[in-house]
Amino acid sequence: MKQIRPILLTWAALLGLLAATVGASFVLTGPLSLAAGLVIAAAKAALIYWVFMHLREESGLVRIFAMGAGAWLMILCLLSMSDYVTRSTG
């Protein structure tokens, strides 16, 4: 029964974040909407990594490598976006 509680709490938190995403999409506009969506998405991803990928049960080294993988993904996305932004349209 102890194993069910964190999963249910995470599920409830993810549903709350989903409601926050939907609410932010209706209320916020422009760059603020994008920023709120990215922050909420990062919180969802952190919850999923922590509970469903069992990072809370792993040692510090595994957690560091998981954060490194996330940082590497962010670097790749930023470099791809910089390539897209700097291309000419004509």
Side-chain angles (χ1 to χ4, degrees):
M1 198 64 179
K2 278 188 168 182
Q3 298 292 349
I4 297 284
R5 182 175 169 87
I7 292 174
L8 288 177
L9 288 174
T10 304
W11 176 72
L14 287 171
L15 282 180
L17 287 169
L18 173 66
T21 302
V22 172
S25 72
F26 285 117
V27 174
L28 302 174
T29 58
L32 192 59
S33 174
L34 176 65
L38 289 175
V39 167
I40 294 170
K44 289 178 190 176
L47 277 173
I48 289 170
Y49 287 152
W50 189 253
V51 175
F52 295 121
M53 294 181 70
H54 302 283
L55 281 181
R56 66 189 162 128
E57 301 165 1
E58 294 296 332
S59 66
L61 187 61
V62 174
R63 291 179 188 172
I64 289 172
F65 275 98
M67 288 186 342
W72 183 248
L73 181 64
M74 229 165 53
I75 289 169
L76 288 174
C77 288
L78 287 173
L79 288 174
S80 295
M81 297 253 322
S82 69
D83 179 50
Y84 177 75
V85 168
T86 57
R87 288 183 184 233
S88 64
T89 58

